[in-house]
C-alpha cells in the first residue's frame, strides 16, 4: 500500500481533482464567469457538469464553453450574457475507466452594489454634551460593502474616544461639542468586488452651546426643558450599542470574533473588557476603535463564554454581557487518502471529521451514493471507514466522503488503485546534495512499486547497510542525518525491493562550512547630517558565493544616493531623521543564510516648544505653560524662557529664567509697565532648539520705580566742578511713563543743606563752582509720573583735581652695588597733593662714564611707585658712572614739581670682554697678538690676562701658560713657541674689582722654512708634474685590468699601501685656493707630540 502522490503519471490511475473554484463563488457581473475544474488521471479523464442537481448540457448554450483538455467552464458574459441567468449550484465530475471524482458544490452568485435609496434627511440639532448617532444604513450588497465617513473634500472625518464608527457603519458621538457642527457628514460604501463607491446624502449637525442659545431657538423647541439654557452637565455612561444588559453572539470556529460596546456620557467614558470566569486569550486578543471593539482571531470552542464590557467615567459606570457561543462547521480529523494496492492486498479508507454540532458522514463511490453503487465483494462500509480485503484490479474506484452539519460540509475524493508494479526510484541518479556543517541532511529516495517496496541505505560503493540512532529513515524513503559532519561527505546508495524486483540509486552528499558574520554591525548614535557606517565582515565556505543584502526595518534600503553599500559595509551620508531605524545585514548562499542587525538612533537638537499659554495673570507674576516639541532621541534637559518688552525694546529678547526639562509650566515674576511676550527654547545634549513662536502679549500696570540708578559716582573733570554720573534704569525698570532723576549733593563734613535738581532721563549732571578736590555726599533717586522710588543710598565723590603743589623733600640715594641703588624721599603733605594720590615718579639719567670723558646723548628713565611709598630701587645702572635723579608726586591730574636733582656715582665693576683679538705674523716659533680694549671698561683697567695652551692631533690640551699684560698695551709678540703647533688663547681685561669675560682664538705656528721652500720649488717643476701624470695613468690601467680579470672569475689578492704621512713634496699641490693660505698651511702640518 502506497500513497497515490508517488504514483508515476505513466501508470493507470483514477481521476484526481487538482483545482476547483471556491464553494461560495461571487463573480463580477461585468466580466466572464470562469468556473474552474482541473483533474489528472490515466487515461486522461473526461468532464461533465451538473447545475442545481441536474445535468448541465453545455452544448446547448452558445455562451458556455469548456476549455480543451480541462473541465473549466467559461460563461461569455461580455458577449451579451447576464450573470444573473447563471446563478446556481454547479458540480464537476472527472471520469475515466478507473473511476470518477467530483468537485465541491460551487455556488455562483454575481456581486451587487445597489444605489442608496432616496431619503429626506433632517438636520440634527443637538445640545452640547448630548450623545448623537448618525445612521448610515448602506444598501445590502454582495459581498457587504466597506463603510467610512468623509466630508465634501473627501477627507476622512477624525475619530477619537469621543467620536467613532461602529461595526454597523453608524457614526457614534459619546457627547457632542461645538466643533462637531458641520453640514457634510457623508457616509460612503465601497463595494470592492465591483470597485464602486456609493455615497449617502450629506447629514447636517448643529451643536448649540448653552451660552449661545437664544430665545428664538428656545421657542422653536417648544419650551421643553431638554434644550433649556442650562449649563452643560456631566452625565454617567449609558450604552448606545448594544442595548440592554445582555446579548448573544454565535461565531464559527476559525473565524474572527468581533464584540462592540459604544457608550454615551460626559466626560467621555472609557471602555474595558473582561471574560467572566477566565482570561482573554493571549496573543489572539486585540483592541480596536479606541478599545470599543474586542477582536479575537482564530476562535475555537474554548473561547465560548460571557464577555463583559464596562464603560466608566468619573460619575459612574455601566456594563453589558455578551454570551458567545462558538459553533463549528465540519473540519477534518482524518481525511481519506488515496490507496495504491497490489492484487490480493488489504487496505482501508478512513474519513473522520468533527464540528459543532457533530457532522454526519456519508460515502459515495464514483460520485454515486455507496448504497446504490455497484457492489464490490472486496469492500465493506463501517461508519466512517471502508475496509478492503483481497482486492482485484476491478476494485479500482474513486470514493467520496461527505461530512456535513448545519454550518457547512466537507467533501474529499480518495481513490483505490489496484496495480502490480516492480520497484522504481524516482530520484535522479547521482543527484548532488549540499548541506551546511552541523545542520540536518535530507537525502531523497522517492520510489514507487506495488506492493510497496522496502528501502535500504548504504554509504559508499561497498559500504554496509546504514542503521543506528545517527540516522532517521522516513516512510517516503528519505534518509535524514540529523547533524551532518565533515565525514558525512560521500556517496550514498538507496536500494528499493519488492516481490517483483529490485533497483538501486546513488546520490552524493557534500558538507560545507557555515557562513559566519565575524564582525557584526554595532549600535550607533549619530547627529543629524553626520555620516555613519555599519560593518558586516563575513567568513564563508570557499566553494560558495555569498550575496550581501542590507535592509532597513526589514524592508529594502531607500532608493537614495546617500546610502552607499560597500563590500563589507553600509555607509549613510548626511543622516536625516528618516534614517532612524534597524539596519540588517543578510548574507545568503545557496545553502544558508545569516543576518545581524543594529539600531541607528539619529539625534538632533529638539524641535521648538509650541502652544504657549499665559494663565493666572497678576500684577507682578504670571504662569507660562507650553508643550515640548520632539526631543529627537536626546532627552530635553532644560527649557530657557526669554521675554521681549514690546513697549521699550521691541524685537530684543532677554533671558528670563531656565527650568528643568521635566517641567512645562513656570511662574514668572513681572515688572510694572512692560508689554511682555515670552518664548521658550528647549535644550538637550546636542544643543538648543529654535525659539518657539512668541506667546500672546501681556501689558503690566504702571507703578512707582522699585529701584534707583546704580553705579553712582562723583568725579570732577576740572578743578572747579563735580561731575555726577549713574547708570540709567532700563525701560522695564522705569515701572511707568515719565522717568526722571532727582540728583542731590552736599559737601561732606560741612553743615550744608542738600542741593537737588530733577533732570530728564539722562545719566550725567555737572555741578560747577566747587572748591578743588573736596569730598561730596551724592545721591540719585528715580521717579516717574506715579511717584518716587525708595530713598537712595549715599555715595562719596570728589570735586575736580589740580596739579600737586609741592615736590618731595629730603631725597637720599644709597648705592648698593655697581648696577643697583636705593632712593628715599619724604612724603608730601596730602593737602598739597590736591587730588587722589597715585604715587611717586623717579626720573634718573646717566650724566657720564667716569672712565671716559666723551659726550653722549642723555636718556632719562622713569620709575613709578604706586601709592604712598617713600622709597624705591633703581636697577640696571652702569658701573663707574655719574647719575642724577629727581622725584615728583603724581595725582589724577598729573605730576607735581620735581625735587632738586640729586647726583650719585656707581662704583667700578668688572669689564666686558676685549672688543677683538687677532693673531698675525706666524713664524716657526712666534705669533703676534693684537687686541682692542673692552667696549664697557666699567672702571679703570689695570691689566690684561692672557692664557694659552697647545692642542695636539687628538684635540687634547697641553699645559696652560698665563701672562699678565699692562693695561696700556694693545699687542704682544709671543716667542719660543713650538713650530707647526696649534695653540688656543684665552684673553680678558681686569679692573680693581676683578676680571671680565674672556675672548678665545686659535692659531698655528709654521713648519721649517727650508722645507717649505723646497716644497714650493718641486711643486712648480715640469718634470714633477709629468711624473704625477704618469703615475695617475698607470693606476688607471691597473684598475681596468683588475676589473676585467675579476669579471672573468679570477681571484687576485690586492694589497693597497698608503703612506702614514703625506709626502711633503706633494702636499702643496693640494692647495688650489689661497684665500685662507696661512691657516690652511698650518692646519695640514702635523704637530709634534708634547
Amino acid at each position: 500500500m502506497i500513497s497515490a502522490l508517488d504514483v508515476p503519471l505513466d501508470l493507470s490511475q483514477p481521476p484526481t481533482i487538482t483545482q476547483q473554484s471556491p464553494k461560495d463563488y461571487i463573480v463580477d457581473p461585468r466580466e466572464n464567469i470562469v468556473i474552474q475544474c482541473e483533474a489528472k488521471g490515466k487515461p486522461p479523464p473526461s468532464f461533465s457538469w451538473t447545475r442545481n442537481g441536474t445535468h448541465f448540457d453545455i452544448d446547448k448554450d452558445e455562451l458556455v464553453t469548456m476549455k480543451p483538455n480541462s473541465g473549466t467552464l467559461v460563461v461569455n458574459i461580455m458577449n451579451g450574457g447576464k450573470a444573473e441567468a447563471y446563478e446556481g449550484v454547479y458540480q464537476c465530475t472527472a471520469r475515466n475507466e478507473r473511476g470518477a471524482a467530483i468537485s465541491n458544490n460551487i455556488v455562483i452568485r454575481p456581486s451587487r452594489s445597489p444605489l442608496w435609496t432616496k431619503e429626506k434627511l433632517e438636520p440634527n440639532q443637538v445640545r452640547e454634551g448630548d450623545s448623537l448617532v448618525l445612521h448610515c444604513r448602506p444598501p445590502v450588497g454582495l459581498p457587504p460593502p466597506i463603510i467610512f465617513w468623509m466630508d465634501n473634500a473627501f477627507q476622512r472625518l477624525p475619530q477619537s474616544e469621543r467620536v467613532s464608527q461602529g461595526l454597523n457603519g453608524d457614526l457614534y458621538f459619546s457627547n457632542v461639542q461645538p466643533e462637531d457642527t458641520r453640514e457634510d457628514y457623508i457616509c460612503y460604501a465601497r463595494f470592492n468586488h465591483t470597485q464602486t463607491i456609493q455615497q449617502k446624502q450629506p447629514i447636517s449637525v448643529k451643536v448649540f452651546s448653552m451660552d449661545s442659545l437664544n430665545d428664538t431657538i428656545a421657542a422653536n423647541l417648544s419650551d421643553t426643558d431638554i434644550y433649556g439654557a442650562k449649563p452643560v452637565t456631566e452625565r454617567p455612561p449609558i450604552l448606545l450599542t448594544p442595548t440592554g444588559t445582555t446579548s448573544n453572539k454565535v461565531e464559527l470556529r476559525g473565524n474572527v470574533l468581533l464584540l462592540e460596546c459604544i457608550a454615551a456620557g460626559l466626560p467621555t467614558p472609557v471602555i474595558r473588557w473582561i471574560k467572566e470566569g477566565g482570561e482573554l486569550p493571549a496573543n489572539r486578543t486585540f483592541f480596536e476603535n479606541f478599545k470599543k471593539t474586542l477582536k479575537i482571531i482564530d476562535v475555537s470552542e474554548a473561547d465560548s463564554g460571557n464577555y463583559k464590557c464596562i464603560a466608566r467615567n468619573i460619575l459612574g459606570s455601566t456594563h453589558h454581557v455578551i454570551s458567545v457561543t462558538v459553533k463549528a462547521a465540519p473540519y477534518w480529523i482524518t481525511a481519506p487518502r488515496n490507496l495504491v494496492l497490489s492484487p490480493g492486498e488489504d487496505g482501508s479508507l478512513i474519513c473522520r471529521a468533527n464540528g459543532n454540532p457533530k457532522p454526519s458522514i456519508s460515502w459515495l463511490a464514483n460520485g454515486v451514493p455507496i448504497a446504490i453503487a455497484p457492489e464490490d465483494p472486496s469492500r465493506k462500509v463501517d461508519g466512517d471507514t471502508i475496509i478492503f480485503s483481497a482486492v482485484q484490479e476491478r476494485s479500482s474506484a474513486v470514493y467520496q466522503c461527505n461530512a456535513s452539519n448545519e454550518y457547512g460540509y466537507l467533501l474529499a475524493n480518495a481513490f483505490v488503485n489496484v496495480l502490480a508494479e516492480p520497484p522504481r526510484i524516482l530520484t535522479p541518479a547521482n543527484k548532488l546534495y549540499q548541506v551546511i556543517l552541523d545542520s540536518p541532511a535530507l537525502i531523497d529516495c522517492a520510489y514507487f512499486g506495488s506492493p510497496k517496496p522496502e528501502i535500504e541505505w548504504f554509504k559508499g560503493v561497498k559500504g554496509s547497510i546504514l542503521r543506528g540512532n545517527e540516522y532517521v529513515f522516513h516512510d517516503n524513503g528519505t534518509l535524514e542525518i540529523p547533524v551532518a559532519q565533515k565525514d558525512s561527505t560521500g556517496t550514498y546508495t538507496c536500494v528499493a525491493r519488492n516481490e517483483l524486483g529490485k533497483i538501486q540509486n546513488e546520490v552524493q552528499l557534500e558538507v560545507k562550512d557555515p557562513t559566519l558574520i565575524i564582525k557584526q554591525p554595532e549600535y550607533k548614535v549619530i547627529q543629524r547630517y553626520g555620516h555613519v557606517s555599519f560593518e558586516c565582515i563575513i567568513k564563508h565556505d570557499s566553494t560558495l558565493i555569498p550575496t550581501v543584502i542590507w535592509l532597513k526595518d526589514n524592508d529594502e534600503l531607500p532608493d537614495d544616493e546617500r546610502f552607499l553599500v560597500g563590500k563589507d559595509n553600509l555607509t549613510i551620508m548626511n543622516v536625516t531623521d528618516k534614517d532612524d531605524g534597524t539596519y540588517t545585514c543578510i548574507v545568503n548562499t545557496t545553502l544558508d543564510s545569516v543576518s545581524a542587525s543594529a539600531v541607528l538612533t539619529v539625534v538632533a537638537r529638539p524641535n521648538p516648544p509650541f502652544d504657549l499659554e499665559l494663565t493666572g495673570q497678576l500684577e507682578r507674576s504670571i504662569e507660562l505653560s507650553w508643550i515640548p516639541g520632539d526631543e529627537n532621541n536626546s532627552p530635553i534637559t532644560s527649557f530657557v524662557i526669554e521675554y521681549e518688552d514690546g513697549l521699550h525694546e521691541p524685537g530684543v529678547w532677554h533671558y528670563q529664567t531656565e527650568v528643568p526639562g521635566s517641567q512645562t509650566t513656570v511662574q514668572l515674576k513681572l515688572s510694572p509697565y512692560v508689554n511682555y511676550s515670552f518664548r521658550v527654547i528647549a535644550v538637550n545634549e546636542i544643543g538648543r532648539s529654535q525659539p518657539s513662536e512668541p506667546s500672546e502679549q501681556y501689558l503690566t500696570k504702571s507703578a512707582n520705580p522699585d529701584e534707583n540708578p546704580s553705579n553712582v559716582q562723583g568725579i570732577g573733570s576740572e578743578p572747579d566742578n563735580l561731575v555726577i554720573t549713574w547708570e540709567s534704569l532700563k525701560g522695564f525698570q522705569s515701572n511707568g511713563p515719565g522717568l526722571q532723576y532727582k540728583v542731590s549733593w552736599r559737601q561732606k563734613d560741612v553743615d550744608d543743606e542738600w542741593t537737588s535738581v530733577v533732570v530728564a532721563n539722562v545719566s550725567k549732571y555737572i555741578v560747577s563752582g566747587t572748591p578743588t578736590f573736596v569730598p561730596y555726599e551724592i545721591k540719585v533717586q528715580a521717579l516717574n509720573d506715579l511717584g518716587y522710588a525708595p530713598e537712595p543710598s549715599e555715595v562719596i565723590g570728589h570735586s575736580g583735581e589740580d596739579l600737586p603743589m609741592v615736590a618731595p623733600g629730603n631725597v637720599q640715594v644709597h648705592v648698593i652695588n655697581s648696577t643697583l641703588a636705593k632712593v628715599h624721599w619724604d612724603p608730601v603733605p596730602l593737602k598739597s597733593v590736591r587730588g587722589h594720590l597715585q604715587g611717586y615718579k623717579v626720573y634718573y639719567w646717566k650724566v657720564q662714564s667716569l672712565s671716559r670723558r666723551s659726550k653722549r646723548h642723555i636718556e632719562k628713565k622713569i620709575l613709578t611707585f604706586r601709592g604712598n611709598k617713600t622709597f624705591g630701587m633703581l636697577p640696571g645702572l652702569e658701573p663707574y658712572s655719574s647719575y642724577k635723579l629727581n622725584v615728583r608726586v603724581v595725582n589724577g591730574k598729573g605730576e607735581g614739581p620735581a625735587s632738586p636733582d640729586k647726583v650719585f656715582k656707581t662704583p667700578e665693576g668688572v669689564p666686558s670682554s676685549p672688543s677683538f683679538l687677532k693673531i698675525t705674523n706666524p713664524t716657526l716659533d712666534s705669533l703676534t697678538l693684537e687686541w682692542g680694549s673692552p667696549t664697557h671698561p666699567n672702571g679703570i683697567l689695570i691689566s690684561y690676562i692672557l692664557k694659552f695652551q697647545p692642542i695636539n692631533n687628538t684635540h687634547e690640551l697641553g699645559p696652560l701658560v698665563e701672562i699678565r699684560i699692562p693695561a696700556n698695551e694693545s699687542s704682544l709678540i709671543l716667542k719660543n713657541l713650538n713650530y707647526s703647533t696649534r695653540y688656543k688663547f684665552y684673553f680678558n681685561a681686569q679692573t680693581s674689582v676683578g676680571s671680565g669675560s674672556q675672548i678665545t682664538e686659535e692659531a698655528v705656528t709654521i713648519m721649517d722654512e727650508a722645507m717649505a721652500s723646497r716644497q714650493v720649488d718641486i711643486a712648480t717643476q715640469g718634470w714633477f708634474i709629468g711624473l704625477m701624470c704618469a703615475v695617475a695613468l698607470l693606476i688607471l690601467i691597473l684598475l681596468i685590468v683588475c676589473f676585467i680579470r675579476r669579471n672573468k672569475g679570477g681571484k687576485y689578492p690586492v694589497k693597497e699601501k698608503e703612506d702614514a704621512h703625506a709626502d711633503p713634496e706633494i702636499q702643496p699641490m693640494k692647495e688650489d685656493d689661497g684665500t685662507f693660505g696661512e691657516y690652511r698651511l698650518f692646519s695640514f702640518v702635523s704637530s709634534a707630540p708634547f
Side-chain angles (χ1 to χ4, degrees):
M1 183 173 61
I2 192 169
S3 169
L5 294 176
D6 299 321
V7 178
L9 292 177
D10 61 337
L11 297 179
S12 296
Q13 57 182 292
T16 300
I17 300 291
T18 59
Q19 192 171 2
Q20 58 183 314
S21 292
K23 294 179 182 178
D24 191 7
Y25 188 18
I26 299 174
V27 298
D28 190 333
R30 300 167 298 181
E31 297 179 354
N32 292 342
I33 301 173
V34 178
I35 311 175
Q36 291 183 328
C37 181
E38 304 291 342
K40 67 177 182 178
K42 182 71 174 182
S46 60
F47 297 90
S48 62
W49 285 87
T50 62
R51 179 186 176 194
N52 297 328
T54 61
H55 177 67
F56 182 34
D57 191 350
I58 62 176
D59 295 331
K60 292 183 178 180
D61 192 333
E62 60 182 7
L63 296 179
V64 180
T65 58
M66 185 182 294
K67 291 183 177 181
N69 302 317
S70 167
T72 298
L73 297 182
V74 178
V75 183
N76 196 345
I77 299 300
M78 299 178 69
N79 201 23
K82 291 187 176 295
E84 291 80 2
Y86 292 92
E87 284 191 72
V89 180
Y90 293 79
Q91 189 172 44
C92 170
T93 301
R95 187 185 308 275
N96 69 9
E97 62 188 31
R98 288 196 166 239
I102 62 176
S103 71
N104 291 320
N105 288 328
I106 302 170
V107 180
I108 302 296
R109 293 185 296 170
S111 64
R112 298 181 180 88
S113 52
L115 297 174
W116 242 294
T117 56
K118 294 288 184 180
E119 57 180 323
K120 184 177 181 181
L121 299 176
E122 296 293 336
N124 291 273
Q125 297 185 353
V126 196
R127 184 176 63 176
E128 180 182 357
D130 285 356
S131 62
L132 175 66
V133 181
L134 300 182
H135 298 289
C136 181
R137 300 191 182 98
V140 178
L142 186 67
I146 297 172
I147 305 301
F148 53 93
W149 290 79
M150 301 178 75
D151 58 18
N152 276 332
F154 297 102
Q155 299 296 314
R156 284 187 179 269
L157 295 175
Q159 298 191 24
S160 62
E161 289 184 341
R162 186 177 63 85
V163 183
S164 61
Q165 178 183 315
L167 295 175
N168 64 354
D170 292 347
L171 191 63
Y172 291 86
F173 295 77
S174 295
N175 53 79
V176 295
Q177 302 297 325
E179 59 264 27
D180 297 327
T181 298
R182 61 190 309 153
E183 297 181 351
D184 56 350
Y185 287 93
I186 305 173
C187 182
Y188 288 85
R190 182 173 66 220
F191 298 90
N192 283 346
H193 221 79
T194 57
Q195 297 181 347
T196 57
I197 296 178
Q198 304 290 352
Q199 172 185 334
K200 186 182 179 76
Q201 289 179 294
I203 301 174
S204 173
V205 173
K206 186 170 184 180
V207 180
F208 294 99
S209 64
M210 297 303 97
D211 293 338
S212 62
L213 198 62
N214 55 45
D215 294 339
T216 304
I217 296 177
N220 291 337
L221 295 176
S222 304
D223 295 324
T224 64
D225 290 336
I226 298 177
Y227 293 98
K230 299 178 181 178
V232 177
T233 57
E234 297 179 337
R235 294 186 307 281
I238 59 171
L239 287 174
L240 298 176
T241 184
T243 57
T245 58
T246 61
S247 59
N248 299 308
K249 172 80 172 181
V250 175
E251 191 56 78
L252 292 182
R253 179 180 185 272
N255 286 356
V256 175
L257 174 65
L258 293 173
L259 304 178
E260 179 180 59
C261 276
I262 300 177
L266 186 66
T268 302
V270 175
I271 304 296
R272 185 168 67 91
W273 290 90
I274 61 172
K275 183 181 181 182
E276 293 183 342
E279 297 290 334
L280 295 174
N283 303 323
R284 294 189 294 116
T285 301
F286 303 91
F287 298 101
E288 297 180 345
N289 197 19
F290 308 97
K291 292 193 174 182
K292 300 174 187 178
T293 302
L294 172 65
K295 177 180 178 180
I296 302 176
I297 62 174
D298 192 23
V299 295
S300 65
E301 289 86 342
D303 295 321
S304 296
N306 293 331
Y307 291 82
K308 179 187 286 187
C309 70
I310 304 168
R312 185 185 304 276
N313 68 9
I314 59 175
L315 298 182
S317 65
T318 186
H319 69 271
H320 185 93
V321 177
I322 305 173
S323 179
V324 174
T325 303
V326 178
K327 298 291 186 178
Y331 55 91
W332 291 118
I333 296 176
T334 304
R337 301 179 64 188
N338 296 330
L339 288 179
V340 177
L341 303 174
S342 62
E345 268 194 311
D346 300 336
S348 63
L349 292 176
I350 300 174
C351 177
R352 290 179 184 159
N354 203 355
N356 187 7
K358 188 166 182 65
S360 60
I361 303 294
S362 61
W363 287 96
L364 296 87
N366 295 325
V368 178
I370 202 165
I372 60 174
E375 287 194 10
D376 182 352
S378 65
R379 177 183 72 210
K380 178 184 177 182
V381 178
D382 184 9
D384 59 8
T385 305
I386 301 179
I387 303 171
F388 297 94
S389 305
V391 297
Q392 301 300 318
E393 187 174 353
R394 65 178 180 275
S395 300
S396 296
V398 182
Y399 292 87
Q400 290 83 33
C401 172
N402 184 298
S404 60
N405 66 11
E406 61 186 279
Y407 297 108
Y409 73 93
L410 294 173
L411 178 68
N413 290 277
F415 65 63
V416 175
N417 195 15
V418 182
L419 293 172
E421 287 290 329
R424 60 170 74 180
I425 294 179
L426 307 178
T427 300
N430 292 314
K431 183 176 180 180
L432 176 62
Y433 292 88
Q434 295 178 324
V435 297
I436 294 296
L437 181 70
D438 293 330
S439 64
L442 296 172
I443 308 174
D444 292 334
C445 183
Y447 64 90
F448 180 76
S450 186
K452 179 181 179 181
E454 293 182 357
I455 303 297
E456 292 178 326
W457 280 95
F458 300 84
K459 184 179 180 186
V461 178
K462 297 181 180 180
S464 59
I465 188 169
L466 297 180
R467 292 189 178 90
N469 295 331
E470 56 185 306
Y471 302 103
V472 178
F473 303 95
H474 294 272
D475 289 341
N476 63 356
T478 296
L479 169 66
E480 179 180 353
I481 306 174
V483 183
Q485 300 298 313
K486 283 291 187 179
D487 59 4
S488 303
T489 299
T491 301
Y492 290 81
T493 303
C494 164
V495 178
R497 61 165 59 88
N498 67 8
E499 61 192 37
L500 300 179
K502 168 186 170 183
I503 192 171
Q504 70 180 38
N505 186 38
E506 291 182 354
V507 294
Q508 308 297 321
L509 175 64
E510 292 181 355
V511 180
K512 305 289 187 181
D513 289 325
T515 304
L516 303 173
I517 299 178
I518 59 177
K519 187 162 187 182
Q520 300 185 356
E522 298 177 346
Y523 173 74
K524 302 277 187 176
V525 176
I526 190 72
Q527 288 191 32
R528 189 185 293 165
Y529 308 126
H531 303 337
V532 68
S533 183
F534 292 106
E535 287 188 295
C536 185
I537 300 176
I538 64 173
K539 179 182 178 183
H540 60 91
D541 191 285
S542 59
T543 63
L544 300 177
I545 301 176
T547 58
V548 180
I549 301 172
W550 286 91
L551 301 179
K552 178 183 183 293
D553 297 330
N554 295 322
D555 204 350
E556 291 183 359
L557 290 178
D559 184 13
D560 191 328
E561 61 184 10
R562 296 182 301 107
F563 288 76
L564 306 176
V565 178
K567 177 184 176 183
D568 51 15
N569 62 64
L570 167 66
T571 302
I572 308 173
M573 312 294 289
N574 298 321
V575 171
T576 67
D577 293 340
K578 295 186 297 183
D579 300 330
D580 202 274
T582 301
Y583 289 84
T584 304
C585 165
I586 301 177
V587 185
N588 293 317
T589 68
T590 54
L591 298 182
D592 63 349
S593 177
V594 291
S595 65
S597 299
V599 174
L600 173 62
T601 301
V602 181
V603 296
R605 296 183 299 172
N607 291 352
F610 57 95
D611 279 359
L612 273 64
E613 184 178 5
L614 297 176
T615 55
Q617 290 90 340
L618 300 174
E619 288 188 4
R620 293 297 182 99
S621 69
I622 197 168
E623 185 174 86
L624 172 66
S625 61
W626 61 89
I627 298 176
D630 193 333
E631 63 184 17
N632 291 324
N633 295 322
S634 180
I636 295 174
T637 56
S638 62
F639 293 99
V640 176
I641 292 88
E642 296 180 338
Y643 72 90
E644 175 198 29
D645 181 2
L647 193 62
H648 303 98
E649 293 181 289
V652 178
W653 290 90
H654 302 276
Y655 173 85
Q656 172 91 6
T657 188
E658 187 169 352
V659 298
S662 58
Q663 189 172 326
T664 57
T665 60
V666 63
Q667 195 77 21
L668 300 174
K669 294 182 179 179
L670 305 180
S671 295
Y673 194 54
V674 177
N675 194 12
Y676 282 100
S677 289
F678 299 97
R679 69 182 187 186
V680 183
I681 299 170
V683 182
N684 65 9
E685 287 188 359
I686 311 304
R688 296 161 63 103
S689 72
Q690 292 293 318
S692 66
E693 291 295 321
S695 69
E696 60 182 305
Q697 291 186 329
Y698 179 61
L699 178 62
T700 54
K701 294 181 180 179
S702 301
N704 292 12
D706 292 323
E707 53 190 307
N708 287 302
S710 60
N711 197 23
V712 177
Q713 293 181 339
I715 301 174
S717 60
E718 297 294 338
D720 61 349
N721 73 7
L722 172 65
V723 179
I724 301 173
T725 60
W726 60 90
E727 287 187 14
S728 300
L729 299 181
K730 299 188 183 302
F732 73 91
Q733 295 174 308
S734 66
N735 286 7
L739 177 64
Q740 294 178 299
Y741 300 100
K742 179 183 178 183
V743 183
S744 304
W745 67 93
R746 68 180 178 185
Q747 191 171 337
K748 189 173 184 298
D749 299 328
V750 177
D751 193 15
D752 281 350
E753 296 294 327
W754 286 95
T755 302
S756 300
V757 63
V758 175
V759 298
N761 188 10
V762 294
S763 60
K764 181 172 70 174
Y765 182 76
I766 300 176
V767 180
S768 300
T770 64
T772 299
F773 196 67
V774 295
Y776 278 87
E777 294 176 320
I778 304 166
K779 56 184 180 181
V780 181
Q781 185 178 25
L783 68 151
N784 62 17
D785 290 350
L786 281 79
Y788 285 88
E791 184 67 22
S793 58
E794 300 171 8
V795 298
I796 303 299
H798 287 81
S799 57
E801 299 179 74
D802 207 345
L803 293 176
M805 298 166 54
V806 178
N810 194 24
V811 177
Q812 301 291 329
V813 179
H814 172 60
V815 177
I816 297 174
N817 57 39
S818 61
T819 60
L820 180 65
K822 184 176 183 181
V823 59
H824 293 262
W825 62 88
D826 290 340
V828 300
L830 287 179
K831 287 188 177 181
S832 70
V833 176
R834 298 200 297 179
H836 295 286
L837 176 63
Q838 294 187 354
Y840 291 87
K841 284 186 179 182
V842 177
Y843 286 75
Y844 66 101
W845 61 97
K846 179 179 176 181
V847 178
Q848 67 177 18
S849 173
L850 298 179
S851 59
R852 296 178 182 177
R853 299 300 177 183
S854 58
K855 295 286 186 180
R856 56 168 288 168
H857 172 69
I858 296 177
E859 179 183 352
K860 289 188 176 182
K861 297 181 179 179
I862 304 172
L863 284 177
T864 301
F865 300 94
R866 299 291 178 186
N868 197 20
K869 290 191 71 172
T870 60
F871 66 91
M873 306 299 290
L874 304 181
L877 302 177
E878 292 185 13
Y880 205 53
S881 299
S882 176
Y883 281 87
K884 287 184 178 181
L885 65 76
N886 59 52
V887 184
R888 311 175 193 199
V889 66
V890 182
N891 67 10
K893 189 72 173 179
E895 299 174 5
S899 66
D901 290 349
K902 186 74 173 177
V903 178
F904 66 96
K905 296 177 182 179
T906 56
E908 289 186 80
V910 296
S912 64
S913 62
S915 57
F916 68 88
L917 174 63
K918 289 197 305 183
I919 304 174
T920 61
N921 302 325
T923 68
L924 288 173
D925 61 351
S926 68
L927 292 170
T928 301
L929 281 68
E930 298 177 356
W931 60 86
S933 60
T935 306
H936 300 287
N938 294 337
I940 298 173
L941 294 180
I942 59 175
S943 65
Y944 292 100
I945 302 297
L946 173 66
K947 297 177 183 179
F948 64 95
Q949 59 191 148
I951 307 173
N952 66 12
N953 287 338
T954 59
H955 300 287
E956 293 177 346
L957 299 174
L960 186 67
V961 179
E962 180 176 327
I963 299 175
R964 184 178 297 274
I965 304 168
N968 58 351
E969 298 290 339
S970 62
S971 65
L972 175 69
I973 298 176
L974 280 177
K975 297 181 179 181
N976 299 320
L977 302 176
N978 295 329
Y979 75 93
S980 188
T981 301
R982 177 178 296 278
Y983 288 91
K984 186 168 185 178
F985 298 91
Y986 312 89
F987 193 67
N988 62 337
Q990 273 190 332
T991 65
S992 60
V993 177
S995 299
S997 56
Q998 62 186 14
I999 184 171
T1000 64
E1001 284 291 344
E1002 292 184 14
V1004 181
T1005 57
I1006 65 173
M1007 65 181 65
D1008 179 71
E1009 293 178 358
M1011 188 181 297
S1013 174
R1014 261 197 325 273
Q1015 182 180 14
V1016 173
D1017 292 341
I1018 294 173
T1020 57
Q1021 297 300 312
W1023 64 268
F1024 180 76
I1025 296 173
L1027 177 61
M1028 292 298 100
C1029 291
V1031 171
L1033 181 60
L1034 287 172
I1035 292 172
L1036 178 61
I1037 294 171
L1038 179 61
L1039 290 174
I1040 293 173
V1041 171
C1042 291
F1043 178 74
I1044 294 173
R1045 297 296 294 271
R1046 184 179 295 275
N1047 287 345
K1048 290 181 178 181
K1051 298 182 180 178
Y1052 298 93
V1054 178
K1055 181 181 180 182
E1056 298 179 358
K1057 296 182 178 180
E1058 295 183 357
D1059 293 331
H1061 301 282
D1063 189 344
E1065 300 292 332
I1066 302 172
Q1067 186 70 28
M1069 297 299 292
K1070 299 179 181 178
E1071 298 299 327
D1072 296 325
D1073 185 358
T1075 306
F1076 298 95
E1078 288 185 342
Y1079 180 78
R1080 288 179 178 241
L1081 180 62
F1082 299 155
S1083 64
F1084 282 107
V1085 176
S1086 298
S1087 60
F1090 301 127

